[in-house]
Amino acid sequence: MIAVSPDHFIGGERVSSTATFTDISPIDQRPLGEIARGGPREADLALAAAEDAFPAWAALGSDGRAEHLHRLADLIDANVDRLAEVECLDMAMLLRSLRARVIARGARNFRAYADLAVAHEERVWASNGTANRVIRRPAGPAVVITPWNAPFMLSTWKTAPALAAGCTVILKPPEWAPLSCSMLADLTGEAGFPPGVFNVLQGIGEEAGAALVSHAGLRRISFTGSPETGRSIGLSATQNLVPFTAELGGKGPLIVFADADLDAAAAKASGQYDDAGQVCLAGTRILVEDSVRDAFLERFHAGVDAQVLGDPRDDETTISPLIHPDHLARVEGFVERARANGDQIVRGGHRAEIGGLWYEPTLIEPRSNASEVVQREVFGPVLTFQTFRDEADAVTLANSTAYGLSAIIYTGSQERAERVGRAVRAGTVWVNTFLVRDLTAPFGGIGISGIGREGGDYALDFYSDLKTLQISERSTT
């Protein structure tokens, strides 16, 4: 086991707490460590450190900050294997995925936002006899709260634009998978970040997170998690008039038209069980045109039959365990209620025979579109299957939940891709592909999937105060 500090990282130093909580590995449920359990006292320390460090970090400018971010990216690349091994133990994502793409995405995030901030050009124009400029000014200390699925990558996705824009950061890691975020703190120190620019506050959301988001010195909040927690954080942000972005999960449709490449569509659909279905962007509602129902299902079942449940450190494994016993019970509860509701369990529907925190890849054909399993995010290896008559019916079903984070469409028609892609209510729509991300594109949800946008200049603008400077074009003395 790689040594990882269980303590907070505040003002460039490790800080302990008298209280702790136990972090367990989803792989075998053995304890990985006793993690510092922060609260209001530690939140005050972290905000004070971030406030003290802010003026100098903001004054450093985009070029100076970019040097630090590029050094950090280089260190992430040099430590991919260490980070991947720890994150695999801590949240059980497939080790090969972490090594091949997920951890390295963290380095990409820091490089991309550093370069975007340096390349930014102020908007300049003339109107009404004045010369006008829009100026970005760093907003101040920002709190970033990240989820337990891919915690390292998602932490860098939020902290990179905040730091590039000139904000200082307090990161609240997920209590179910906090270790890789602790390692990120060490790497910022190694990269020469000034003390207080990047801080990590460990703890339980209702304690450490609540203390952070209600703090008067805070200037920005970025959160990824559940709608219920998002609403609570939003109330705290409102009380202090702090700008707030939130990505709050999804219930994405995967729409397959009769003219689609069915082999590709079914392969992608069976691949939605990746990471045990703990992916907010996953296409969890499979919608297939009536005429190709049987042909699609045959291919889909063949794909699921090839899945291997097992240790995420094993290269043969394709489906890992769920993150925590409480989460396994939550997923199981959805399926049991669906069964009691009369929804048809097409396959799966039970804990896996290998025991532990594994759950069988499950497909449910609901009795109606109003079924809970259709309308609420399960966040596990549970997909629903429905058919549609025509394009209009497909769009109606796709838009029938309160969520709107992402959607996937498979079709052989460019015209249909444009029509349906525009009509589906989602922040991101993929056609004949999935999970391809351009870091300059806006990312976020519609409806209860969230508020605000991340990505590219959208994120840099969020972490900035925008100022319009107007100067009369008449000569002055």
Side-chain angles (χ1 to χ4, degrees):
M1 174 63 181
I2 297 167
V4 181
S5 174
D7 292 331
H8 315 292
F9 185 78
I10 298 174
E13 298 180 350
R14 289 293 176 175
V15 176
S16 62
S17 291
T18 54
T20 62
F21 64 93
T22 304
D23 178 34
I24 66 167
S25 174
I27 299 174
D28 53 15
Q29 300 182 63
R30 67 182 176 89
L32 296 175
E34 293 298 315
I35 312 300
R37 185 167 178 165
R41 182 186 74 86
E42 293 86 352
D44 286 344
L45 290 174
L47 261 298
E51 288 178 311
D52 288 346
F54 172 66
W57 182 249
L60 197 57
S62 297
D63 290 309
R65 294 190 293 267
E67 291 180 9
H68 287 81
L69 297 183
H70 277 284
R71 283 199 298 270
L72 178 56
D74 291 343
L75 287 168
I76 292 171
D77 281 339
N79 287 276
V80 164
D81 284 345
R82 293 178 66 247
L83 288 161
E85 288 171 21
V86 168
E87 188 141 301
C88 180
L89 283 173
D90 207 15
M91 61 79 57
M93 183 180 286
L94 298 179
L95 180 59
R96 66 175 181 275
S97 297
L98 288 164
R99 283 175 170 162
R101 56 181 177 83
V102 178
I103 299 299
R105 165 70 186 277
R108 281 183 58 211
N109 286 336
F110 283 111
R111 291 193 181 98
Y113 285 108
D115 293 345
L116 280 169
V118 168
H120 173 68
E121 296 182 2
E122 294 175 353
R123 181 188 171 199
V124 178
W125 76 102
S127 69
N128 301 315
T130 63
N132 305 270
R133 284 192 296 153
V134 177
I135 301 169
R136 278 184 184 157
R137 303 294 297 171
V143 163
V144 168
I145 302 177
T146 52
W148 45 259
N149 60 322
F152 183 85
M153 188 275 287
L154 292 174
S155 295
T156 65
W157 167 242
K158 292 177 178 292
T159 59
L163 293 166
C167 294
T168 50
V169 169
I170 305 99
L171 170 64
K172 162 60 179 69
E175 53 262 36
W176 283 354
L179 297 183
S180 59
C181 292
S182 181
M183 295 176 73
L184 178 60
D186 289 334
L187 293 179
T188 64
E190 192 175 340
F193 279 53
V197 168
F198 182 82
N199 308 274
V200 171
L201 182 67
Q202 305 282 12
I204 307 301
E206 295 86 348
E207 299 168 357
L212 284 173
V213 299
S214 61
H215 203 286
L218 182 62
R219 296 314 314 143
R220 293 292 186 273
I221 302 172
S222 182
F223 169 72
T224 296
S226 70
E228 294 75 20
T229 303
R231 291 186 182 99
S232 176
I233 294 173
L235 289 173
S236 295
T238 300
Q239 288 177 345
N240 288 322
L241 298 179
V242 177
F244 167 53
T245 62
E247 190 265 275
L248 303 176
K251 193 69 180 175
L254 194 161
I255 309 168
V256 182
F257 288 95
D259 63 358
D261 179 339
L262 291 186
D263 290 328
K268 193 63 65 180
S270 64
Q272 300 304 295
Y273 294 116
D274 181 44
D275 199 17
Q278 300 169 135
V279 179
C280 58
L281 294 166
T284 57
R285 293 182 294 134
I286 302 174
L287 309 176
V288 176
E289 194 163 356
D290 284 329
S291 61
V292 293
R293 170 198 171 96
D294 293 343
F296 173 87
L297 281 175
E298 180 182 1
R299 291 165 171 80
F300 173 83
H301 286 306
V304 181
D305 288 343
Q307 302 278 14
V308 178
L309 281 69
D311 191 316
R313 296 166 292 187
D314 188 334
D315 284 343
E316 299 300 314
T317 297
T318 62
I319 297 182
S320 50
L322 292 163
I323 182 73
H324 192 274
D326 290 351
H327 191 57
L328 172 60
R330 179 181 183 275
V331 170
E332 190 172 43
F334 271 101
V335 177
E336 291 309 310
R337 290 191 298 275
R339 185 178 279 116
N341 184 55
D343 299 333
Q344 182 184 357
I345 312 300
V346 179
R347 69 175 300 150
H350 300 92
R351 298 190 182 202
E353 292 182 358
I354 61 175
L357 300 181
W358 282 264
Y359 197 84
E360 295 176 336
T362 298
L363 183 68
I364 299 175
E365 190 161 3
R367 189 175 63 176
S368 82
N369 193 57
S371 293
E372 179 197 43
V373 74
V374 175
Q375 295 296 322
R376 291 185 59 198
E377 184 179 43
V378 179
F379 216 60
V382 178
L383 309 179
T384 60
F385 179 81
Q386 297 167 273
T387 59
F388 59 86
R389 299 181 304 276
D390 53 26
E391 193 173 296
D393 192 26
V395 171
T396 297
L397 286 172
N399 293 343
S400 65
T401 77
Y403 294 90
L405 185 61
S406 63
I408 307 166
I409 302 168
Y410 272 83
T411 178
S413 166
Q414 181 66 35
E415 292 77 14
R416 176 177 285 123
E418 288 285 344
R419 286 194 306 271
V420 179
R422 289 176 179 274
V424 168
R425 181 173 168 270
T428 299
V429 178
W430 286 284
V431 179
N432 297 332
T433 189
F434 174 58
L435 221 54
V436 178
R437 290 283 297 122
D438 181 334
L439 297 184
T440 65
F443 175 80
I446 297 169
I448 67 169
S449 283
I451 57 174
R453 289 295 181 269
E454 299 176 282
D457 283 343
Y458 306 91
L460 293 172
D461 283 348
F462 169 72
Y463 288 110
S464 304
D465 289 324
L466 301 183
K467 175 191 296 185
T468 301
L469 178 62
Q470 288 186 283
I471 301 175
S472 173
E473 293 176 342
R474 293 177 295 177
S475 59
T476 59
T477 58

